[in-house]
Amino acid sequence: MAKRSHVTTTVNGDEYEFLCDADQTLVNVLRDELELTGTKEGCSTGDCGACSIMLDGDLVCSCLVLGVEADGKDIQTIEGMAPSADELHPLQRNFLEINGLQCGICTPGILIAARALLERNPDPTETEIRFWLAGNLCRCTGYDKIIRSVQAAAEEMRKG
Amino acid sequence: MSKFDFTLNGNRTTVDAEPVRRLAHVLRDDLGFTGTKIGCDAGDCGACTVSVDGRQVCSCLVPVAQADGAEVITVEGLAENGKLSDLQEAFHLYGAAQCGICTPGMLMAASDLLARNDNPSEDEIYDALGGVLCRCTGYRKIVQAILHVGDTSAARIEEPKVGEAVGSRAAKLDGRQRVDGSEIYGADKAPEDALWLRAVRSPYWRATFSLGDFEPLKEKYPGLVDVITAADVPGLNGFGVYPDVKDQPALAERFVRFKGEAVVAIIGDFEAISSISDEELPISWQEQEPVQGFGPPVAENAPQLHDDHPGNILAYGDVLKGNVSEGFKSSCAVFEESFQTGFVEHGYIEPEAGWAQRIGDRIEISVTTQSPYMDRDEIALIMGLEPEKVRIIPTACGGGFGGKLDLSVQPLLAIAAWKLNRPVRCTYNRLESMASTTKRHPSKITARYGCDQDGKLQSYDFEGDFNTGAYVSWGLTVKDRVPIHATGPYYVPNVKARSRAFFANETPAGAFRGFGVPQAAIAHDALMDMMAEKVGIDPLEFRHINAIRKGQETATGQKLESAGLDQCLEALREDWGDWRAHAEAHNQSATNIRRGVGVGCMWYGCGNTSIANPSTMHIGIKPDGTVTLYSGALDIGQGTNTTMMQAAADGLGISLSELQLVWGDTDLTADAGKSSASRQAYVSGNAAKLAGEDLRGQILRMANVGETATIEFGKNKLIVHDGDTSHEINLGSLSALDNGEVLRGEGYFDPPTEPLDENGQGKPYGTYGFAAQIADVEVDLDLGTVKVVRMGAAHDVGQSLNPQQVEGQIHGGVAQGLGLALMEEYIPGRTENLHDYLIPTIGDIPEIRTYIIEDPEPTGPWGAKGIGEPALCATAPAIFGGIYQATGVRVKQAPCTPDRLRAAILAKRGLNGNGHG
């Protein structure tokens, strides 16, 4: 039996320690060890983007990252997106208002990806939004309302 | 860091490593097991395949933590007590390793298969080895080797008798180290204290830039030792393959012309240079609109890439013979068509790599290359040094195909090692290898061919545009070669052929197996099929009627003395008839899976075009009796080390096993030119033969005996037997030359060529290779997919120096030709790694029936001509001919991908792309 590795990370600002197997993926660790099930696992092969999270500022599919690779790194997941229990992030609010989600399974990944886009580019064109979110599959919405939601949130955030 | 224990090739091994450090890096860098190769570092190529607990895995994808407690076997673990395993022995004897870079991975994948199944079928071999890419062999000899593990008697040959090495199927003399993992390639070895270098490249196709202060970066990363820029180039900041064209900067100055161009290089410890992201560098960019594709660069007022090339035109090449309009008047079948091809990537499995060190006032570079002397001279200019102050020590070359003729890591390593006075190493990753090194020229050709009612060709009018990308590279050679070869290997009385090479903000296009001839072959042979159909003559017979023959004149007015195309076609005639009939019968009852058989022909001038391109070889004898060939002809997998030894041994009259080899090092070997233009067998083969004959002549004169005498090579002495008498030469009594040798023979050969006049008339090459290939293909009409079912390949090589190596070249050329025809197109942003850029896998390459035709070339060594490039050029036309018989679609664009073919099939039925009218 291969030994388990000891990993220390920060998730949504809180420090976590966990033990994981050498072949355990980060999405697995988040969901099964840390019980942060907001991050979804749709394909386990990096195709669907449902497991998108931020790892040291990079947008990654957490199913393609090993748990041990998170050692010493900063993780941000959907659970850390809302500023408080009463308040939603503008992206989250606009997704609700404009109906940017239907079943909601892809939503955590899309929100994380969209926030990463707006941090880099506060005023993206529709084409830029479509390109940026191309790694996240949605089977319900046809994407149109997702684009509108991101545009609306971006405008709101620019106005501050 | 954690401690991990595993068994490596039977030995308990402990390493301290980050758990996620990949096993391939642990094996190579931490444990020194460099037999495992890294080709892509992304699980696409399989070169790093090892066995973990009995299963083949890509070790570049396995974190070392996952190998904890496991049993790991690498290529170094296959041989026992220095004896090759049966599998390795079979690979060696069947010629399954050419350059050898994929061989460790192939062997490990095959071991995995054989452990489960000791009598696999061909299909089972395809499945088990499907994850390991090979770019040299065309896989056929790999399959044969695996089918014959433990029963290699058919491939085992006796040591050739003295004087009979040439023409024998001698296994590679350097084959053993290619199957046991001990061969050293560009990335395998460097001094312990070598710093690492990484080039930072332009993210834009066209931009100006300025550099800021690098000091803050150095403070942030203590492991960053230095950053070199254009200002650090001691000599001329320009390189290029022609002596008078040095247009590509080693490091760009203020302006970049393509995405991937090197701007600065960062040097330091591995950790530092790999953690620094490009965005952290103080480079400010001003992006400009690039000019790309076929129209925009040559449009009026297009932004210019180079000041001295108005209109972005590099050059025109012309060949004019007879009167084409008169020729078309006497034609009854005339067809005009346009054809297009894209960028094609060499896809050698070994990325560019090497290291350099400064030794006093000299610079030494160990590097994977095809052209040590050209590298030497180019580096001398960049460094502002005399050429003698530069030493190139080639490593084994893990595939080249033209892509390792141009400089890559060499100038960066030389500048850094010189400035820092420390050894510096660099290994390109796959992405930068693909983004920054040359490609095959994209082409756009419009051509018109006419024949009379007897099927005799009358007239050919050809215009071809070739995109040479951002820099000249080999663009001038392509513009010369194309019009010379434009007609194809046929006798045509009236020819007008014009090529044009132009610049664009794209990856530089350079040398890739054929220099434009494969692109031209797609055009001429499609038109041949169309004319044959019109005049009602079988496509193969039509080519046979028109095949240029000995004594006839080419489009440049050169009278041929060796031309075996008619014999190539005759060799294929029986299979052609059977396969065509079979396809026709199949199609009578077939629904959506149709068959078709096509034929393609090619010719190829061996050697550089209309310029001196000599080779010099030496053979020396030391006082102790050691006899050594000093060969500068680089073995890039094609087997030149072996064939040069065969030629030298027979020239001298010594057995192959008594002759030693020193190769490549520019301090030790003379200039034998480049391993390109299919010139080594013909040009360097002559030089090796002449070196042997020169040394033999000296020995016979010393013994004062006649031509028929034989030489016995003994310890400290030579014994010359002449009839009943013997003469002993005591080597110790001879005065030694500067290098300690007592006897030294030299061979020099420069192919007889003449310059071309303004109409392209003259003798551009000493000789030409010829080939005909046939392809039997299966097309799925619904999907547009093409499967090549079997191929026939007949090649006139003048004289085969080593049939085993010649077959290897043919197989590998067919595989690359199949890739060109059906799947390969380099599109930046889309197909820029070995995952998305498809090259043929083991399952794509069918049975290839090879026929070696020997129509001797009077100026060739024993009649030999080249085979490297001829192997590829006829394949795409043959496949496209097959697609026509199967579908009725004439392919006019390569690659003929399923989407393109499906659209053409629907268009032919009068439907649009959705299948609706």
Side-chain angles (χ1 to χ4, degrees), chain B residues 773-856:
Chain B
Q773 294 184 357
I774 56 175
D776 186 354
V777 308
E778 190 179 88
V779 182
D780 184 321
L781 297 183
D782 289 335
L783 297 176
T785 51
V786 179
K787 166 88 187 151
V788 181
V789 181
R790 51 188 168 177
M791 295 251 349
H795 285 259
D796 168 25
V797 298
Q799 155 74 44
S800 165
L801 297 180
N802 183 327
Q804 174 88 298
Q805 309 301 331
V806 170
E807 288 161 10
Q809 286 299 291
I810 295 172
H811 292 170
V814 164
Q816 290 184 357
L818 188 150
L820 168 70
L822 298 177
M823 60 185 83
E824 295 188 35
E825 186 166 14
Y826 174 73
I827 306 168
R830 281 177 56 195
T831 61
E832 56 193 8
N833 52 51
L834 288 179
H835 187 78
D836 299 306
Y837 185 88
L838 302 181
I839 68 172
T841 69
I842 195 167
D844 293 312
I845 306 302
E847 173 199 358
I848 303 166
R849 295 186 188 173
T850 56
Y851 301 89
I852 297 177
I853 306 299
E854 297 177 323
D855 191 41

Side-chain angles (χ1 to χ4, degrees), chain A:
Chain A
M1 179 63 195
K3 61 174 81 73
R4 306 191 92 198
S5 298
H6 177 257
V7 177
T8 309
T9 66
T10 313
V11 184
N12 301 326
D14 300 329
E15 197 162 293
Y16 279 83
E17 287 182 49
F18 57 85
L19 288 173
C20 74
D21 293 333
D23 58 358
Q24 204 172 355
T25 59
L26 183 54
V27 66
N28 238 255
V29 169
L30 290 171
R31 291 176 56 84
D32 301 345
E33 311 284 338
L34 310 186
E35 296 184 356
L36 294 168
T37 55
T39 302
K40 306 302 177 192
E41 185 163 17
C43 68
S44 314
T45 49
D47 298 315
C48 76
C51 65
S52 299
I53 60 153
M54 300 301 289
L55 186 65
D56 264 3
D58 291 328
L59 177 66
V60 297
C61 285
S62 57
C63 74
L64 294 184
V65 178
L66 293 168
V68 284
E69 287 180 283
D71 192 37
K73 296 196 170 150
D74 181 71
I75 295 171
Q76 290 175 35
T77 68
I78 187 67
E79 288 89 347
M81 197 162 182
S84 71
D86 316 321
E87 194 188 349
L88 289 174
H89 186 278
L91 273 164
Q92 293 172 308
R93 204 173 53 254
N94 279 287
F95 266 66
L96 281 176
E97 285 170 4
I98 300 176
N99 225 4
L101 63 96
Q102 288 184 25
C103 83
I105 195 83
C106 73
T107 312
I110 289 193
L111 285 169
I112 290 288
R115 187 180 62 180
L117 168 65
L118 298 185
E119 279 167 2
R120 283 167 176 74
N121 180 359
D123 189 13
T125 64
E126 176 169 341
T127 305
E128 284 168 339
I129 296 171
R130 287 186 183 274
F131 266 83
W132 184 268
L133 295 180
N136 294 77
L137 299 179
C138 170
R139 195 59 163 165
C140 298
T141 64
Y143 301 102
D144 192 73
K145 289 185 190 297
I146 292 177
I147 308 297
R148 306 299 147 230
S149 307
V150 174
Q151 283 172 325
E155 193 183 343
E156 191 183 316
M157 286 163 71
R158 281 200 305 279
K159 286 180 185 152

Side-chain angles (χ1 to χ4, degrees), chain B residues 200-242:
Chain B
V200 177
R201 300 178 180 283
S202 165
Y204 301 112
W205 289 107
R206 182 187 183 94
T208 56
F209 67 93
S210 54
L211 301 176
D213 182 9
F214 288 100
E215 285 311 315
L217 196 69
K218 287 187 194 167
E219 276 161 31
K220 183 173 172 197
Y221 293 95
L224 175 63
V225 174
D226 203 0
V227 179
I228 58 168
T229 71
D232 293 307
V233 181
L236 173 75
N237 186 15
F239 66 89
V241 295
Y242 305 110

